[in-house]
Amino acid sequence: MKPEQILKGLKTKTFGRNLICMEEATSTNDVVAELARQGAPEGTVVAAETQTKGRGRLGRHWASQEGKSLTFSILLRPKLHADELPGITLAAAVAMAKTLEDFHFRPRIKWPNDVLLEGRKVCGILTEMGPKKDRMASVVLGIGINLNQSSRDFPKELREIATSLYRISGRKAGRARFFQMLLLNMEETYRWVAERHFYKVLTQWRERSSVLGRQVKVTLGHRVFYGQAVDADEKGALLVRNDVGIIERVTSADVQTIQF
Ligand code: BTN
């Protein structure tokens, strides 16, 4: 992918205006973090065809197939408090879902950072904070989306739980156009967070959530509890009513819906 292909027709103000496309990176999140240290502007985007150390939440590995996925990170410099970070992840998930809808798919968002098509994961989001503790100096938002992989492109153990646009529709998606639309949608939903209109993200998230109203199993390190996902709050935390009726605020955990 060449920057010119993306920049031509890109309608954003800042997202992707400073764009670096690499063949291979360790992790685009690390490349952007380094650029942040060097003073790069908000909206800087680094995309890579493959990553040697692609990572997901909870220490998981993330694999990208050259030419078939979109793998990139964006530099943000929000004037928000650190505990508002989950809101950025939700905003990105909403932007991803809106983009998939623009391409006529019907996505669901699995709190906090997965976007699903037909119950399988099509996209992962990894939001990481820069060194400053309180007011966020920089945030790196990393996105991986499976566009044109066939089932054979996925390792066996992922075939049942991961999918791509191509597997769902049988058609190849134009990567440049998808990227442009995604950046535009992300810029919009990020602005909602940055300008403290988070309710707009929440409204959009509620309409697309795969967990709201469902019974869930919440894993917080070694602690596991069950309950019903009732809402997300103004900072993006998931609110779960536990077995004894108390609402627990979940900020960082693994959440699985339970089938009865
Ligand atoms: C997850 O599902 O747990 C999150 C996956 C995030 C993957 C993206 S790909 C671009 C960026 N660079 C990384 O190393 N990870 C994120």
Side-chain angles (χ1 to χ4, degrees):
M1 207 161 44
K2 300 240 173 344
E4 308 83 77
Q5 292 172 282
I6 311 301
L7 292 170
K8 191 164 165 267
L10 183 67
K11 296 203 177 82
T12 58
K13 285 203 179 74
T14 56
F15 279 28
R17 289 287 151 199
N18 183 21
L19 174 64
I20 298 163
C21 295
M22 303 170 73
E23 267 310 306
E24 184 180 283
T26 48
S27 157
T28 53
N29 270 32
D30 292 340
V31 179
V32 169
E34 179 53 34
L35 292 174
R37 275 189 287 278
Q38 295 169 12
E42 181 164 80
T44 293
V45 170
V46 173
E49 291 297 338
T50 54
Q51 298 182 117
T52 52
K53 287 185 184 154
R55 60 178 180 271
R57 276 177 82 231
L58 312 169
R60 292 176 189 140
H61 171 69
W62 182 267
S64 318
Q65 288 77 22
E66 203 172 333
K68 297 185 175 175
S69 34
L70 264 184
T71 306
F72 68 99
S73 304
I74 306 189
L75 171 60
L76 306 173
R77 296 188 181 280
K79 291 182 183 61
L80 298 172
H81 201 268
D83 67 357
E84 290 168 296
L85 189 65
I88 294 181
T89 307
L90 283 202
V94 165
M96 177 60 78
K98 282 161 75 88
T99 308
L100 288 164
E101 286 162 9
D102 292 340
F103 281 76
H104 309 294
F105 292 92
R106 300 185 61 192
R108 309 299 289 165
I109 301 171
K110 180 177 167 290
W111 187 93
N113 70 330
D114 293 350
V115 181
L116 313 179
L117 286 178
E118 297 182 355
R120 292 177 179 161
K121 179 159 167 169
V122 72
C123 159
I125 300 169
L126 182 67
T127 315
E128 294 178 314
M129 213 190 343
K132 216 167 167 187
K133 277 269 147 52
D134 242 358
R135 291 218 143 221
M136 289 186 242
S138 64
V139 169
V140 180
L141 179 56
I143 312 270
I145 162 101
N146 302 324
L147 296 181
N148 293 328
Q149 290 96 329
S150 65
S151 29
R152 268 179 291 121
D153 290 319
F154 291 103
K156 270 212 182 73
E157 64 277 13
L158 290 184
R159 265 175 218 168
E160 294 306 311
I161 54 173
T163 194
S164 68
L165 272 57
Y166 178 68
R167 275 183 82 181
I168 303 281
S169 69
R171 278 189 288 155
K172 295 272 161 84
R175 286 203 305 162
R177 212 165 78 80
F178 192 92
F179 203 4
Q180 291 166 343
M181 307 260 282
L182 179 59
L183 288 173
L184 188 63
N185 284 322
M186 287 182 66
E187 186 171 83
E188 182 183 30
T189 60
Y190 170 64
R191 196 173 308 131
W192 294 344
V193 182
E195 293 175 356
R196 298 180 179 278
H197 296 137
F198 192 63
Y199 69 93
K200 292 187 187 171
V201 175
L202 277 184
T203 309
Q204 302 272 329
W205 174 80
R206 286 188 189 109
E207 287 168 10
R208 298 170 173 90
S209 169
S210 71
V211 299
L212 269 195
R214 304 276 301 270
Q215 289 302 120
V216 291
K217 174 184 176 187
V218 180
T219 309
L220 289 153
H222 292 299
R223 178 170 171 242
V224 174
F225 75 91
Y226 294 85
Q228 187 189 26
V230 289
D231 205 356
D233 71 10
E234 76 290 347
K235 288 181 177 156
L238 189 68
L239 303 177
V240 179
R241 185 183 294 117
N242 69 17
D243 285 350
V244 291
I246 293 172
I247 305 248
E248 298 216 31
R249 200 173 167 268
V250 178
T251 53
S252 156
D254 211 28
V255 175
Q256 302 293 333
T257 49
I258 310 168
Q259 319 271 12
F260 286 105

